[in-house]
Amino acid sequence: MPPQISILGAGIAGVTTAIALQQAGYSTRLLEAAAAIKPVGAGLGLGANAMLAFKKLGMMEEVVQAGRVLPSFSIFDRKGKLITRTDSKRLNAKYGISNFTIHRAALHQLLLSKIDPQSILLNKKAIDVIQHENSVSILFENGSRLDTEFLVVADGINSLARKKLLPAVMPRYAGYTCWRAVINNATLQLAESSETWGTAGRFGIVPLADNKIYWFACVNAEHNDERFKNFGVSDILNHFKDFHQPIPALLEETRNEDLIWGDIIDIKPISRFAFGNILLIGDAAHATTPNLGQGACQAIEDAVILGSELGKTPDIKLAFKNFEQRRLKRTAFITNSSWTIGKVAQLENNLLAGLRNLAFRLTPDRVNERQLSKVYDVGFDG
């Protein structure tokens, strides 16, 4: 009988990993900090790489039914003039579904339906992780303790286990803060995903299933800026009042209680994911800014590739090491590329922003698609 693998964190990374490991013949325990798993979060964009991962898990069609396939993605300037457009239909023919949106809660619920609820242990907020030669002890805030042979760490960007293993590694602030909301799309009936880049900030629009729409607004700011932390919808509307429609209309449809606020952070790429019988995955290993829409996608990739490696060898420590070798370079590329795009998108200088927009307008579609191919080509069978 294969050893049991415990997974710290029952978010998208942890639950998808439990599904992949289940298919590889392993039983898992999911250790969740919260006292209950509740539907939280806003919208998610999933690229062709994540959709292929779900196809590998045999659940792509169910994911598609819970979300929405979008025809294109456009970037505009503040006045609504097109900077660049990506024809998703053309990319779909080459890579599969490439521009897909879903509410985070809907995806999470679908994933949870694929595992035994009894395998999830709630109220397990880790306060210490102790590694022994052939096991790991986890101490929890509620006073309990769990010993496991192997531990997969999927407890997010502020991972306690990563802090214990790599105490010098800390989240880094990207230089901009963000408001998000999911609202009703019945009035506006928007069908295309887009971003608008202005020197005052950036505004994104992401249609979801069930007549919902997700929007986000990013502005450059000091870390943990008290003024922006206390912004309401009227403040955001005033800040983006010079942006083209339907941005003001979307904000007018939003209530203060719809708002989710947070600074944008990531982790500078690290050099190790595998530590003997402990493995870091998802945001605990390679948290990225959201500019490529790849945060959840990379966690989903992790799950499938870990399942693949565990299917190749009964030596779990070796599988962890092989996973690390397959994931380090790719996740670093995603993190670094997303960081760069964020800096370019958040330019405040009018001259530099104008030159950026011109450069994007002059870039041939084939060049843009070549860049996207680096994101979508995964090599799950590597």
Side-chain angles (χ1 to χ4, degrees):
M1 184 175 179
Q4 188 170 64
I5 301 173
S6 298
I7 302 170
L8 191 60
I12 287 174
V15 181
T16 311
T17 298
I19 295 168
L21 268 55
Q22 180 178 278
Q23 294 186 5
Y26 290 86
S27 61
T28 61
R29 286 176 295 198
L30 279 158
L31 313 172
E32 171 55 37
I37 296 178
K38 299 178 181 179
V40 295
L44 281 178
L46 298 179
N49 50 320
M51 301 308 285
L52 178 56
F54 282 129
K55 185 175 183 180
K56 292 283 184 182
L57 294 175
M59 55 184 298
M60 187 181 78
E61 291 306 318
E62 291 176 271
V63 173
V64 170
Q65 288 170 14
R68 182 170 181 174
V69 180
L70 300 180
S72 59
F73 169 70
S74 296
I75 300 175
F76 301 99
D77 67 15
R78 175 179 59 84
K79 295 181 179 180
K81 183 180 178 183
L82 184 68
I83 296 174
T84 184
R85 172 172 281 134
T86 301
D87 182 350
S88 302
K89 292 179 180 179
R90 187 167 69 247
L91 290 175
N92 294 350
K94 187 173 183 180
Y95 299 105
I97 295 170
S98 62
N99 187 358
F100 177 80
T101 63
I102 189 169
H103 198 292
R104 179 180 287 272
L107 178 59
H108 198 197
Q109 285 301 123
L110 175 58
L111 294 169
L112 287 167
S113 74
K114 300 299 179 181
I115 61 173
D116 181 358
Q118 299 300 314
S119 69
I120 305 175
L121 306 182
L122 298 173
N123 199 26
K124 295 294 183 183
K125 183 177 181 179
I127 58 171
D128 200 5
V129 173
I130 305 164
Q131 184 163 209
H132 312 291
E133 186 176 352
N134 292 306
S135 66
V136 181
S137 297
I138 310 154
L139 307 182
F140 301 101
E141 190 176 67
N142 63 6
S144 63
R145 168 181 170 149
L146 184 142
D147 296 312
T148 185
E149 290 178 81
F150 296 94
L151 179 64
V152 174
V153 175
D155 59 346
I157 190 169
N158 294 306
S159 170
L160 175 132
R162 189 195 64 245
K163 289 177 183 176
K164 187 79 183 290
L165 295 164
L166 298 168
V169 174
M170 299 293 289
R172 62 176 176 175
Y173 178 48
Y176 41 99
T177 197
C178 188
W179 299 271
R180 297 170 289 154
V182 174
I183 64 171
N184 200 296
N185 189 27
T187 303
L188 295 168
Q189 290 290 310
L190 300 175
E192 179 191 64
S193 59
S194 68
E195 287 189 18
T196 296
W197 293 1
T199 53
R202 177 170 39 140
F203 199 98
I205 297 172
V206 185
L208 301 170
D210 302 321
N211 243 348
K212 300 292 184 183
I213 196 156
Y214 163 55
W215 65 255
F216 61 88
C218 298
V219 299
N220 294 343
E222 295 296 320
H223 184 37
N224 207 28
D225 189 300
E226 286 294 329
R227 183 169 68 95
F228 288 132
K229 184 188 296 187
N230 295 311
F231 258 34
V233 173
S234 61
D235 299 303
I236 302 170
L237 180 57
N238 184 58
H239 189 90
F240 287 92
K241 64 181 183 296
D242 294 330
F243 279 48
H244 64 88
Q245 289 290 358
I247 291 169
L250 272 172
L251 290 168
E252 287 167 358
E253 294 276 335
T254 305
R255 304 167 301 170
N256 283 332
E257 53 264 39
D258 297 325
L259 291 179
I260 301 170
W261 169 84
D263 283 340
I264 300 299
I265 56 177
D266 75 353
I267 298 173
K268 188 175 180 179
I270 60 179
S271 60
R272 287 185 70 183
F273 297 159
F275 299 81
N277 44 2
I278 299 177
L279 179 69
L280 306 178
I281 68 164
D283 282 355
H286 46 71
T288 178
T289 55
N291 303 297
L292 279 175
Q294 281 290 310
C297 296
Q298 291 305 301
I300 295 160
E301 281 186 20
D302 282 350
V304 174
I305 289 173
L306 179 57
S308 169
E309 290 302 328
L310 286 167
K312 294 176 184 177
T313 175
D315 185 337
I316 296 178
K317 288 185 181 180
L318 176 61
F320 283 1
K321 198 67 183 174
N322 290 340
F323 168 92
E324 175 187 85
Q325 292 305 308
R326 287 180 65 180
R327 297 301 288 157
L328 280 174
K329 184 177 179 181
R330 175 162 170 78
T331 56
F333 164 74
I334 295 291
T335 299
N336 290 333
S337 298
S338 185
W339 181 270
T340 300
I341 290 171
K343 292 300 182 186
V344 170
Q346 293 290 139
L347 286 173
E348 292 182 314
N349 180 281
N350 283 315
L351 176 60
L352 293 177
L355 291 172
R356 172 201 64 198
N357 295 352
L358 179 61
F360 271 80
R361 289 183 177 114
L362 294 176
T363 301
D365 289 345
R366 66 179 182 278
V367 175
N368 291 329
E369 291 181 17
R370 193 179 306 134
Q371 294 302 311
L372 282 172
S373 72
K374 295 177 182 178
V375 175
Y376 294 157
D377 285 335
V378 187
F380 283 115
D381 301 317

